[in-house]
Amino acid sequence: MRASKYILPTEKENPADAVVASHRLMIRAGLIRKSSSGLYFFLPLGLRILKKIENIVRVEMDATGALEFELPILTPSEFWEQSGRWSVMGKEMFRISDRHEQHYSLGPTHEESFSVLVKPMLKSYKDLPVNVYQIHTKFRDEIRPRFGVIRSREFIMKDAYSFHLDDESLEQTYQEMRTAYRKIFQRCGLKTIPVQADSGAMGGSASEEFMVVSPIGEETLLLCSSCGYNSNSEKTPFILQNDSFPKGPSEKKEVPTPNKKAIDEVAEFMGVRPEDTIKAVAVKNGKESLLVFLRGDLDLNENKLKSALKWTDLEMVPESDLQAAGLVPGYIGPSDVKSPFQIVLDTSIRKDSPYVVGAGKDGAHIQGYMPSRDLKMEFKSIDVALTREGDPCPNCNKPLKAEKGIEVGHIFKLGDKYTKAFQIQVLDRQGKAKTLTMGCYGIGVNRTMATVIEQCNDDKGIYWPISIAPFEISLVTIAKGEEQETKALEFYDALKNEGFEVFWDDRDLGPGFKFKDSELIGFPIRITVGKKFFESGEISIYNRKKDKEEIVPFSGFDDLISRVETLRQELFQELLEEQNS
Ligand code: ATP
Ligand code: MG
């Protein structure tokens, strides 16, 4: 490809709305342009990268025996009604209607569509297991689209769905997908950690997210270096340390605490630790209102609460609603709870120990409050606290380490939620109708692309892993006059005819400008044929990732080709070794 015939709108300046490296560099390198909030145009160079990632995903999925389909993006509301998700998916699902007042969503995910599609094709246990997938556009009306294509409103996803007669078969495919995912991300140059995850609105039992550790990650991962337990903090159980007991006064009495509402203030004022207090958090969904009581130093993990109570949404109760229910915000204790509120007591609270709690009136707390003795109302005891760095590992009790992570893929065991709703059954070996069990497996293709840039950039720009680089080689020539231009073309033809992917910067620009562009875009190998070549027969071979240039005498195209091929092979080899280390 010749740069002079390409559209290559590189930019010197960072876009004003880009706060992360990948977003800045994708725009500056001319890979994408913004259309509007959460929507991006892909330009030719960017599209080549996206297609290469898609291709790696496709090859590895096909290698597991999964079958590729393509389904309509518009999905009829009846499909969603049948699974019960039309009302559950909320505002994140784009909904439209046609001229006949038929309703549709722009598919955010395709469990329903694939269920409808495969149901009539699966008749006997002999047809199983199957794993079907597509690589296609998804739509999600994200509350906060951000970080460019990392969280956009329209994006490419590989989504796969597997169907099985029993759990053993599901487990086998789940593990195959797990292995395939690691390979896919490894080939893209990403080191991923599978972490246990919350199954959310999708329903189902087991799920793991594939995370790339990055400071810009929106997820918090809790990792145990001792036993290898890894989980998303949305899901991590909170383990109460065996020797952690409240140390506050045990004599029960009311203590005036004027203007002390926040836990830290109350604790300091009363000379106790935040761990010796109990705090209240009021939440509600459309139907129920709850007062959740947690140990004072802990925060509520909304996901664990939603998951435990099977709530699909959750919001904080405004102070005015608390006041209307006769409660005094800042001073709510477990014994003050009134209808319509129900009580959840987090498992971090020791029921036979004394705590400092709100007294239910302005400016007062109670010390020595013992839930087993003093809490008369019925309550649910659930683990709903947010586990933090340093808390014990749920598996081996050693302290957990926290990291930020970007989720690039997700695998789920869905169980029979959809197969029941769509009555997907086959005849088993005994000739009896059996409802299938199901798994689903997603990879964000554009997010993967951006995540690679987050991991592979320096002050000059991007350095692409060779496997997904827009072109493997950039050829920069600085030729003056017809004779030199003919020679430059010979270099291009020689490399191209050898089958290399070459991007030839033949533009009528100075070397500095061309070098800057090639380093910004991040071609892994650059060959320069310029002044040195025409004066003393030397060319340069530059390794973008190492930022290392080698000047070599040109001794014919065979030699050049073998040098380039050696470097190319090295880069592929390094890629696999790095991710394995
Ligand atoms: P997140 O928690 O980041 O919103 P999710 O749990 O909603 O992700 P899934 O429903 O599991 O994501 O979708 C599968 C994959 O699709 C994700 O692992 C991610 O790589 C990608 N993905 C999800 N939402 C977006 C988005 N808004 N923009 C780009 N990629 C996305
Ligand atoms: Mg999401």
Side-chain angles (χ1 to χ4, degrees), residues 195-427:
V195 304
Q196 292 187 29
D198 186 37
S199 305
M202 300 282 183
S205 53
S207 99
E208 280 165 293
E209 289 161 339
F210 282 74
M211 295 287 189
V212 175
V213 171
S214 160
I216 70 139
E218 295 179 284
E219 309 289 334
T220 302
L221 321 181
L222 290 166
L223 313 173
C224 178
S225 56
S226 299
C227 73
Y229 170 90
N230 297 323
S231 74
N232 188 320
S233 69
E234 285 185 348
K235 141 122 189 175
T236 321
F238 177 81
I239 305 298
L240 197 54
Q241 254 148 346
N242 288 335
D243 55 353
S244 68
F245 287 90
K247 295 189 178 127
S250 54
E251 183 202 353
K252 189 181 176 198
K253 70 170 187 196
E254 192 177 301
V255 185
T257 50
N259 298 319
K260 307 288 177 209
K261 287 187 178 181
I263 287 292
D264 288 345
E265 289 172 349
V266 175
E268 196 189 334
F269 183 73
M270 293 190 60
V272 298
R273 306 167 308 162
E275 296 94 298
D276 306 327
T277 71
I278 289 179
K279 73 175 175 200
V281 184
V283 296
K284 61 175 184 177
N285 66 2
K287 298 182 208 95
E288 294 167 82
S289 303
L290 289 181
L291 270 161
V292 182
F293 292 96
L294 300 127
R295 209 175 71 186
D297 62 316
L298 296 173
D299 289 320
L300 173 67
N301 182 330
E302 295 181 12
N303 284 290
K304 272 161 57 174
L305 182 66
K306 278 160 73 180
S307 198
L309 300 178
K310 304 217 169 358
W311 283 15
T312 49
D313 60 322
L314 178 153
E315 49 183 317
M316 293 294 153
V317 177
E319 287 205 351
S320 54
D321 287 13
L322 292 172
Q323 280 152 350
L327 297 162
V328 186
Y331 298 97
I332 304 171
S335 291
D336 314 319
V337 178
K338 300 179 180 71
S339 159
F341 288 94
Q342 292 174 304
I343 303 182
V344 165
L345 212 56
D346 180 56
T347 49
S348 60
I349 295 169
R350 296 184 182 273
K351 297 182 191 64
D352 297 325
S353 296
Y355 290 91
V356 170
V357 303
K361 57 184 178 192
D362 203 21
H365 279 78
I366 293 172
Q367 66 169 53
Y369 182 94
M370 194 185 288
S372 59
R373 180 190 64 202
D374 301 326
L375 179 53
K376 305 284 188 260
M377 232 174 106
E378 218 176 276
F379 61 88
K380 283 195 179 109
S381 183
I382 323 176
D383 167 20
V384 293
L386 194 63
T387 305
R388 309 152 302 184
E389 177 159 80
D391 286 333
C393 165
N395 196 35
C396 74
N397 260 324
K398 294 269 161 49
L400 292 165
K401 187 170 179 332
E403 294 278 8
K404 291 282 169 203
I406 306 174
E407 177 197 325
V408 286
H410 200 165
I411 57 176
F412 277 89
K413 284 186 187 172
L414 289 169
D416 62 6
K417 179 177 158 91
Y418 300 95
T419 50
K420 248 188 184 162
F422 290 91
Q423 293 171 318
I424 308 179
Q425 298 182 332
V426 300
L427 297 179

Side-chain angles (χ1 to χ4, degrees), residues 92 140 142 151 155 219 407 447:
E92 203 167 291
R140 293 185 184 182
E142 300 280 354
R151 185 170 300 285
F155 57 96
E219 309 289 334
E407 177 197 325
R447 186 182 285 183

